[in-house]
Amino acid sequence: MFEVLKSIFSGRSMKKKHINGRLYIYDFVGNPTYFDPIQMLTDFYFRFQDTKVQRMSYLFQNDPINSLIILPPKWEMPAVTCSLKIKRKILEVNRYIFRLSGSPASHYRFYYDGEEILRFTRIYQMASYHQNLGLKLASVHKDNLDLSRSQWSWENEGGKVLFLENFGYPQLWDISNINHIKNMIN
């Protein structure tokens, strides 16, 4: 009964879907965009391991993304929330739709057992943004960015990863600890 009242007053709907043997629960407004967070992480991890990725040390003192991209605020209601159980804990992924320099973009925040473990941003219709953002990130520590590549990763020993790629569109993965992803997809 509570869910019915909640949907009436908030305009949000809920739908359950089984994908690859897992139960996903989507909470959304309007027409939902169904996505599979586990498949997203699996695909990312496959590309992340590619030998063509240029790897650099993550030496940023402060979060470099906040000064380069204006992301949707945490208090903003996501367009879609997807949740599922993994290893007796809840993975919740919030998907936001926004505009970045006039181009449409989507932003995902992944929470595992209530802790934010990664942010993922995809920027549509702006192929040049990938290289520009890479150069801005590399300039912070005067890294020599190999512009012939389309994947760059800044990493530290604690598992922190900032991964920028051009996978059809510029995509930025900001991961607090890569081990969270390894544990979820295995």
Side-chain angles (χ1 to χ4, degrees):
M1 180 68 180
F2 175 73
E3 290 300 322
V4 172
L5 289 173
K6 180 179 152 187
S7 69
I8 290 170
F9 290 110
S10 69
R12 297 188 72 82
S13 300
M14 185 176 67
K15 179 142 178 132
K16 295 179 181 183
K17 288 180 112 10
H18 280 87
I19 302 172
N20 295 325
R22 295 181 192 264
L23 176 63
Y24 291 76
I25 301 170
Y26 297 90
D27 181 66
F28 54 91
V29 174
N31 294 322
T33 298
Y34 297 111
F35 57 94
D36 180 348
I38 300 303
Q39 190 62 53
M40 289 170 68
L41 295 175
T42 302
D43 293 347
F44 154 77
Y45 196 68
F46 177 77
R47 294 188 310 274
F48 174 72
Q49 294 181 78
D50 193 327
T51 57
K52 295 176 186 168
V53 174
Q54 181 182 0
R55 300 185 186 282
M56 296 159 277
S57 293
Y58 187 101
L59 302 171
F60 303 102
Q61 296 300 316
N62 298 312
D63 183 353
I65 302 307
N66 290 335
S67 64
L68 299 173
I69 301 174
I70 298 172
L71 296 172
K74 285 189 176 189
W75 52 261
E76 187 175 306
M77 184 67 79
V80 179
T81 296
C82 175
S83 58
L84 68 143
K85 262 193 181 169
I86 298 178
K87 299 183 181 180
R88 298 188 190 134
K89 296 181 180 179
I90 301 293
L91 174 65
E92 181 179 287
V93 182
N94 296 329
R95 182 177 193 263
Y96 301 84
I97 307 300
F98 71 111
R99 294 192 84 67
L100 184 62
S101 300
S103 290
S106 56
H107 177 69
Y108 299 77
R109 290 191 180 112
F110 288 67
Y111 297 89
Y112 188 56
D113 200 27
E115 174 190 355
E116 185 177 74
I117 60 168
L118 75 92
R119 297 179 293 171
F120 167 62
T121 306
R122 179 181 291 138
I123 304 142
Y124 304 96
Q125 303 170 351
M126 247 178 115
S128 64
Y129 196 83
H130 166 256
Q131 201 169 71
N132 292 338
L133 183 56
L135 289 168
K136 287 177 185 177
L137 289 167
S139 72
V140 173
H141 297 110
K142 306 200 179 359
D143 293 322
N144 291 321
L145 199 66
D146 182 349
L147 296 177
S148 69
R149 300 178 188 220
S150 62
Q151 298 170 310
W152 305 298
S153 183
W154 289 264
E155 307 165 19
N156 73 18
E157 291 177 7
K160 175 70 176 165
V161 171
L162 190 60
F163 184 72
L164 178 61
E165 64 180 336
N166 190 353
F167 189 65
Y169 299 105
Q171 299 188 148
L172 179 64
W173 297 83
D174 185 5
I175 302 161
S176 63
N177 189 328
I178 194 71
N179 292 318
H180 289 304
I181 293 175
K182 289 179 194 176
N183 291 335
M184 277 189 245
I185 63 175
N186 292 329

